[in-house]
Amino acid sequence: MNVKHSLLVSLMLGLLALPTVSMANEAGDLLAKMRSAVHTLSYQGTLVYARGNELSTYQIHHILEGSAEKNSVIRLTQNAQGANLPAQESFSLAKFEQVQPRMEQVYALDVGGDEAVAGHTCRIVVARPRDRMRYLQRYCIDPNSGMLLKYALVDRSHKTVEQLMFTALTINPADGAVTAGPVSAVVQAELLPVAAQNTTAWSFSELPAGFQQTRSLEQAGSPGQVPVRQMILSDGMTSVSVFIANPDSPGVSEALSLSAGAMNIFTTEVAGHKVTLVGEVPVATLESISKGLRHAR
């Protein structure tokens, strides 16, 4: 009797676990499809982007010609007379990370219902953090094309700190239609390496759960300025940049933090060098990362 009871319980637990695993797999597949779609589709549209108290409207044109991407982002602002003034911006949907298997260590993935956004149907995907070191991420993705139509970052107080939504979108516009847009920049798809070997004197003794160093590079400084070391970390869904400047570089000499919506900046000093951390994670996460930074003297 006890054996039968145990088998029955095991079977029921297994059946209950199946939908969860299935939804996580579907969420992961949609996120991977989204990351690819923003590079491999041609599209044009208008989106509203909110960060903190700042609200902006952008016109986006993205053309795929062979393997080359041509991307144009125009922010529509208003002058004192209320007329729209276009201004070039560096905003890009390509900021979304390449999905990594390790993200499920620190995020619980879930799939919700469908919504209608800009005349398209999209499916809700939620990446819910398992700790306090990152934000909840909510996506709405067209399951057919993989196009991201709506996105939000939510902090632990349930406050939306950053969001975007297309108000109009045409995917694969007719030949010639997209050329009406002010295409001004050419970009190449950039794949995030799974891991990068650190060959500098800088390393991390420990990192918040889920984060790994993915890249280390040297940024050329302004004329007369020494280069700045940039180390990039990722938890599979969001990234943090760590900039390390020479002790002689101008800048702050004590810890300082700034916030703009989901984007946080934390500056401090490590081994006599000026360190600036930037990422769409809580300030506490940036501070924790800085404490693990080590310099081989």
Side-chain angles (χ1 to χ4, degrees):
M1 183 66 178
N2 289 335
V3 173
K4 289 182 178 178
H5 179 74
S6 298
L7 289 174
L8 181 60
V9 170
S10 298
L11 178 60
M12 292 180 64
L13 289 175
L15 291 174
L16 288 172
L18 282 175
T20 302
V21 173
S22 178
M23 283 195 292
N25 290 340
E26 182 182 356
D29 291 344
L30 282 170
L31 289 171
K33 193 172 184 179
M34 175 199 75
R35 179 61 170 76
S36 174
V38 298
H39 291 293
T40 58
L41 290 178
S42 291
Y43 49 89
Q44 60 181 17
T46 303
L47 66 79
V48 176
Y49 174 66
R51 186 170 65 180
N53 296 323
E54 181 182 351
L55 184 67
S56 305
T57 302
Y58 293 87
Q59 286 184 345
I60 292 182
H61 296 76
H62 182 270
I63 307 171
L64 187 66
E65 292 183 350
S67 59
E69 299 175 64
K70 294 183 177 180
N71 195 52
S72 173
V73 180
I74 301 294
R75 187 175 72 175
L76 302 178
T77 58
Q78 290 189 334
N79 62 12
Q81 290 72 42
N84 285 335
L85 290 177
Q88 290 291 337
E89 287 287 333
S90 58
F91 177 89
S92 174
L93 292 176
K95 72 171 189 173
F96 295 103
E97 296 282 310
Q98 183 181 9
V99 175
Q100 303 288 348
R102 67 177 183 278
M103 68 185 183
E104 294 192 45
Q105 299 174 10
V106 288
Y107 293 94
L109 300 179
D110 196 7
V111 177
D114 291 346
E115 286 188 9
V117 177
H120 300 262
T121 298
C122 56
R123 188 157 300 157
I124 297 170
V125 174
V126 178
R128 188 172 288 102
R130 300 184 190 275
D131 58 22
R132 295 175 175 271
M133 306 304 282
R134 53 214 103 222
Y135 295 124
L136 181 147
Q137 302 186 26
R138 188 177 187 275
Y139 303 80
C140 204
I141 303 168
D142 182 340
N144 296 316
S145 66
M147 192 64 196
L148 174 66
L149 301 179
K150 190 176 177 182
Y151 169 72
L153 283 176
V154 181
D155 67 15
R156 292 192 63 82
S157 63
H158 307 291
K159 177 184 176 184
T160 299
V161 291
E162 180 177 319
Q163 58 184 324
L164 68 81
M165 182 179 72
F166 273 101
T167 57
L169 176 67
T170 302
I171 299 173
N172 294 326
D175 291 342
V178 75
T179 58
V183 176
S184 58
V186 178
V187 297
Q188 296 289 338
E190 184 180 20
L191 297 179
L192 190 70
V194 175
Q197 184 178 5
N198 181 35
T199 58
T200 74
W202 292 92
S203 62
F204 293 93
S205 60
E206 59 180 346
L207 288 169
F211 278 99
Q212 292 182 7
Q213 181 181 334
T214 59
R215 198 174 304 174
S216 179
L217 55 130
E218 200 169 74
Q219 299 274 17
S222 304
Q225 300 273 331
V226 296
V228 174
R229 169 65 51 185
Q230 181 183 8
M231 303 171 80
I232 302 175
L233 313 175
S234 173
D235 68 356
M237 294 200 74
T238 192
S239 63
V240 172
S241 285
V242 181
F243 297 94
I244 305 170
N246 188 285
D248 297 329
S249 300
V252 298
S253 57
E254 58 184 20
L256 175 69
S257 64
L258 300 171
S259 297
M263 180 67 70
N264 285 295
I265 302 172
F266 179 75
T267 65
T268 188
E269 187 172 311
V270 178
H273 291 68
K274 296 177 175 64
V275 177
T276 302
L277 299 95
V278 182
E280 290 185 337
V281 294
V283 172
T285 306
L286 300 179
E287 188 173 357
S288 176
I289 290 173
S290 73
K291 290 178 178 176
L293 186 60
R294 296 288 182 270
H295 182 248
R297 298 177 185 276

